[in-house]
């Protein structure tokens, strides 16, 4: 007895459906990968280039009724906005929060601001800056 082969002869009937499916999956994967890369790149560029104002706390001095905060703000020329600063007590409770506004043609602002507190504050934390 002879065994019957179920394989088709090479090149006689064209590509098999498995090869077409593999190629389709590769194309779909490449397109989805390119779209994902473009979206991540756009969000990254928007996050870095889109922010008009950035700041940092240089130093702070805590007192019983207020905290003096030295802020350094970098912004686009002519941009205006505000930075939010808060202070916490030794037990972690928030004892003060305020927004400090910045505007004008300067691109770098070095300013000492006073944050009033309801109890002695032990920290000064910059929560963020936003443009108008």
């Amino acid at each position: 007895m002879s065994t019957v082969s179920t394989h088709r002869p090479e090149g006689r009937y064209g590509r098999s459906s498995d090869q077409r499916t593999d190629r389709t999956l590769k194309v779909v994967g490449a397109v989805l990968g390119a779209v994902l890369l473009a979206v991540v790149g756009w969000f990254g560029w928007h996050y870095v280039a889109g922010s008009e104002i950035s700041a940092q706390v240089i130093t702070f001095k805590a007192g019983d009724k207020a905290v003096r905060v030295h802020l350094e703000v970098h912004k686009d020329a002519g941009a205006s906005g505000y930075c939010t600063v808060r202070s916490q007590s030794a037990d972690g409770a928030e004892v003060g929060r305020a927004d400090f506004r910045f505007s004008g043609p300067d691109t770098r602002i070095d300013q000492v601001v006073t944050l009033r507190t309801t109890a002695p504050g032990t920290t000064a934390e910059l929560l963020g800056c936003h443009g108008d």
Side-chain angles (χ1 to χ4, degrees):
M1 284 221 146
S2 68
T3 59
V4 178
S5 174
T6 58
H7 296 289
R8 293 187 242 170
E10 285 292 322
R12 186 166 183 184
Y13 297 104
R15 290 185 167 182
S16 71
S17 63
D18 288 342
Q19 289 173 330
R20 282 190 297 267
T21 302
D22 288 346
R23 182 169 184 229
T24 303
L25 287 175
K26 286 178 185 178
V27 170
V28 168
V31 168
L32 289 177
V35 168
L36 179 65
L37 185 62
V39 168
V40 168
W42 183 82
F43 278 114
W45 178 83
H46 181 55
Y47 179 76
V48 172
S51 62
E52 294 178 348
I53 299 175
S54 65
Q56 62 183 352
V57 173
I58 304 299
T59 61
F60 69 92
K61 184 176 182 181
D64 289 339
K65 300 285 183 187
V67 176
R68 292 178 51 87
V69 182
H70 180 186
L71 286 177
E72 182 181 73
V73 179
H74 295 274
K75 64 182 191 66
D76 293 342
S80 63
Y82 63 94
C83 293
T84 304
V85 179
R86 79 169 176 179
S87 181
Q88 295 176 308
S89 64
D91 64 356
E94 185 175 288
V95 294
R97 179 187 292 237
D99 293 335
F100 297 100
R101 301 197 70 65
F102 300 99
S103 63
D106 297 334
T107 58
R108 182 179 174 275
I109 300 171
D110 224 6
Q111 186 170 357
V112 176
V113 296
T114 301
L115 173 63
R116 294 184 193 162
T117 59
T118 57
T122 59
T123 65
E125 179 182 7
L126 178 66
L127 297 179
C129 295
H130 306 282
D132 288 336

